[in-house]
Amino acid sequence: MGKTVGIDDIATYVPKVYLDAEEMAEARGIPPGKLTRGLGIEKVSIPDAHEDASTMAAMAALMVMEKNDLEPKEIDFIHVATETGPDAAKPISCYVLGMLEQRYGAGSFDHVGAPETKFACVGATYAMIDRLAYIASGWNRAEYSIVVGTDIAKYELNSSGEPTQGAAAIALLLKENPRLMAYEPQFTGFGTVDDKDFFRPIERTTAVVNGQYSIGCYLRDMRIAVDGYRKNMLESGVLKPSRESLVDKIRLASFHSPFPKMVLYAFADFLIHDWRRLPRWKKIAEKIGPEPSREGFADVEYYISDGHKNYRRNFTGTKEFTEEYQNKVADSLTALSLIGNSYTASVWLGAASHFETMRDDLEGKRFGIGSYGSGSSAIVCSFIVQPDYRQVASRIGLIEKLGQRQKISMTEYEDLHEGRLKLDESVMPPKNEFALETIGKETNDYGYRYYRYVE
Ligand code: HMG
């Protein structure tokens, strides 16, 4: 066995303003129930005029440093994952480093490595694996590395993707012998396909998305990654092939949440796939009938076919599904239904939500992660919750922060969405936070972003 490496702490940042899902539905002429019950969305986190993916990232990184009394010399890497970076060449991590130096002193972070990773919503999970592998190898020169996931999910006004917007950042503090959870590298499964479900060409601020098709891609890649994870578990002898399900081995799970209902689809399809070969499926099959044939459907199309959707709906009505879902997954959505999609940050906000809401003893229990990014790739991996997790979990504070935000009107939201407010015209002026002050206009600084910490 190699070194024990993993997540020592999680810090979360959410903008201070949000849009109410029911108000959005009314304004768009959609039945509110479609957003609240159909998609599971209650509130949508909206970045204010002075915010961008870099300020949110810097806030999450600053929080993780401050709450752990860390000095810059203790940090080895600041590694940022994003798909909403403002620059095709300069990584957000450099802007973050510059902002942190406004707090810790010029040059205080000049020794760190600071790359940026891009792979849609799965980017932060890829970055985390890279950094953990580096720490496990012993190449690190300082004890801690920070991985930040930061994103603004933005679609066209009036589009079907509009309700699935959101914004947030997370900072994962990584180290050897972590307090929160230890990574199990030996089981990790990947599922990757070159696909066109969702992408954002560099000239656009909103994504090109084939909504229903993207749901099928998520489910396909997750299945491929789950198969890899299961194979690795079987080979290591942790899982008994004839009777045990992967879910029996997992106490909690967090999935990427573009909208909370997607997590229900993903967990249901995961269970159907994992259970249909086990003795327990006989009883369930008696209740929900035979699985529809896949004949005539390509892989992705099958997942979004009416036949499969009805079958899955019947399965999610069974007590066997409900028990597993309520015990292991539902609490991840407490925070996510109040934030919306935050791309790279989403799956980790779900993990934070679990740690904040779960009252059972989690020590030694397995925590599963189902991370998906369009384009497309899924990662299924797991951690073991560590004995000292309680002191970390009790200080996450995400749910409390979500309760302190201010609601904005549809007009304010549309002004922010369309960039009609100047950087100094925020709905809630910045206070104790980083703000984007100006964007360079001269030949030598055209497009360069100037940030300042506002007391
Ligand atoms: P849509 O197609 O308009 O919605 O938009 P729908 O017709 O599929 O309805 C959604 C649900 O609402 C259905 O529930 C309806 O029945 C229900 P289901 O049957 O599936 O359980 N419904 C109602 N419920 C109660 N009362 C009502 C009512 N009416 C309908 N009155 C879609 C949904 C997600 C496609 C759209 O919002 C979209 O395009 N979003 C953006 C893309 C997206 O989020 N894709 C998700 C998978 S890809 C991914 O996760 C990656 C991503 O995060 C990007 C990245 O990786 O960077 C997006």
Side-chain angles (χ1 to χ4, degrees):
M1 257 326 252
K3 291 181 180 177
T4 301
V5 298
I7 302 175
D8 191 62
D9 198 355
I10 301 182
T12 61
Y13 177 78
V14 276
K16 293 181 187 130
V17 297
Y18 72 90
L19 187 64
D20 183 76
E22 291 196 359
E23 284 180 25
M24 177 190 268
E26 274 155 33
R28 297 290 178 253
I30 307 169
K34 175 170 176 184
L35 303 194
T36 53
R37 279 176 284 118
L39 295 173
I41 302 163
E42 289 176 41
K43 293 177 180 171
V44 181
S45 185
I46 304 291
D48 215 327
H50 64 275
E51 294 186 294
D52 65 5
S54 313
T55 59
M56 297 196 306
M59 287 305 293
L62 179 64
M63 276 181 222
V64 92
M65 297 268 312
E66 285 185 346
K67 75 197 269 222
N68 291 288
D69 288 326
L70 295 174
E71 296 290 330
K73 64 175 185 318
E74 295 175 278
I75 309 299
D76 200 34
F77 271 81
I78 297 175
H79 190 152
V80 179
T82 186
E83 58 175 292
T84 42
D87 198 296
K90 184 179 168 75
I92 280 195
S93 39
C94 254
Y95 280 128
V96 169
L97 187 149
M99 282 185 256
L100 291 177
E101 289 196 347
Q102 292 182 29
R103 306 296 296 157
Y104 290 92
S108 53
F109 283 92
D110 63 2
H111 60 282
V112 307
E116 181 180 296
T117 287
K118 177 174 66 186
F119 201 144
C121 305
V122 72
T125 309
Y126 271 113
M128 178 205 70
I129 293 173
D130 282 355
R131 294 279 56 88
L132 288 179
Y134 194 85
I135 297 170
S137 77
W139 287 3
N140 55 311
R141 290 287 166 263
E143 192 175 3
Y144 296 89
S145 277
I146 297 173
V147 163
V148 180
T150 181
D151 272 305
I152 298 168
K154 189 170 173 186
Y155 301 93
E156 305 281 346
L157 293 180
N158 294 297
S159 66
S160 69
E162 189 185 19
T164 64
Q165 298 181 118
I170 52 93
L172 305 177
L173 188 65
L174 309 179
K175 72 185 283 285
E176 195 180 340
N177 299 323
R179 285 170 301 167
L180 190 61
M181 43 186 198
Y183 183 50
E184 301 188 293
Q186 68 277 27
F187 300 142
T188 303
F190 298 89
T192 307
V193 176
D194 174 12
D195 219 320
K196 56 176 189 306
D197 58 326
F198 167 109
F199 49 98
R200 184 171 65 83
I202 46 178
E203 68 276 13
R204 289 177 58 120
T205 59
T206 53
V208 179
V209 59
N210 185 343
Q212 293 297 333
Y213 183 78
S214 72
I215 293 174
C217 292
Y218 180 131
L219 298 170
R220 172 202 58 201
D221 290 6
M222 204 57 87
R223 185 201 69 226
I224 300 171
V226 161
D227 281 344
Y229 183 87
R230 184 196 295 109
K231 181 168 167 284
N232 296 335
M233 268 215 162
L234 285 170
E235 281 173 5
S236 68
V238 172
L239 191 72
K240 294 187 194 70
S242 56
R243 304 205 74 80
E244 281 186 324
S245 157
L246 286 179
V247 83
D248 304 342
K249 300 283 169 193
I250 289 170
R251 175 62 194 90
L252 292 175
S254 173
F255 288 82
H256 166 56
S257 171
F259 52 94
K261 198 69 166 296
M262 182 74 228
V263 172
L264 182 129
Y265 303 157
F267 190 60
D269 275 346
F270 158 60
L271 288 188
I272 292 171
H273 185 61
D274 202 42
W275 283 0
R276 66 160 85 80
R277 66 198 162 80
L278 297 176
R280 69 187 80 171
W281 193 248
K282 193 166 169 281
K283 215 165 110 199
I284 297 168
E286 279 164 14
K287 288 189 233 177
I288 65 172
E291 205 168 344
S293 161
R294 286 175 184 253
E295 217 177 294
F297 289 108
D299 204 357
V300 171
E301 279 77 15
Y302 175 73
Y303 282 111
I304 52 175
S305 65
D306 288 341
H308 178 69
K309 286 204 286 201
N310 285 332
Y311 183 68
R312 184 175 61 212
R313 203 171 291 124
N314 292 340
F315 173 57
T316 57
T318 62
K319 94 171 178 350
E320 288 84 351
F321 171 81
T322 308
E323 258 171 37
E324 293 288 357
Y325 182 71
Q326 289 304 333
N327 284 337
K328 299 185 176 170
V329 178
D331 286 344
S332 67
L333 302 174
T334 307
L336 291 167
S337 63
L338 304 173
I339 296 171
N341 197 353
S342 55
Y343 294 160
T344 49
S346 165
V347 69
W348 300 105
L349 289 167
S353 182
H354 263 317
F355 277 113
E356 271 206 285
T357 45
M358 175 53 61
R359 295 286 159 259
D360 290 6
D361 185 8
L362 297 178
E363 184 179 332
K365 302 280 164 50
R366 182 167 285 115
F367 196 116
I369 291 287
S371 193
Y372 173 74
S374 287
S376 58
S377 185
I379 300 178
V380 171
C381 61
S382 56
F383 296 80
I384 298 297
V385 178
Q386 296 298 289
D388 287 338
Y389 84 93
R390 290 175 200 84
Q391 53 171 275
V392 179
S394 64
R395 294 169 63 225
I396 288 178
L398 171 61
I399 309 280
E400 188 189 340
K401 248 184 297 193
L402 292 172
Q404 292 164 349
R405 296 173 301 168
Q406 182 177 309
K407 183 160 75 97
I408 54 172
S409 66
M410 277 305 284
T411 312
E412 287 169 318
Y413 153 68
E414 290 194 0
D415 283 347
L416 285 167
H417 189 282
E418 295 303 288
R420 289 195 283 258
L421 299 182
K422 298 204 184 78
L423 298 179
D424 60 356
E425 290 177 346
S426 288
V427 179
M428 284 190 73
K431 192 167 169 21
N432 301 329
E433 66 188 283
F434 294 109
L436 173 59
E437 265 207 326
T438 167
I439 301 177
K441 294 200 172 46
E442 304 301 323
T443 318
N444 285 338
D445 74 347
Y446 185 83
Y448 184 85
R449 297 188 158 224
Y450 294 91
Y451 298 97
R452 187 169 71 86
Y453 189 83
V454 183
E455 303 280 353

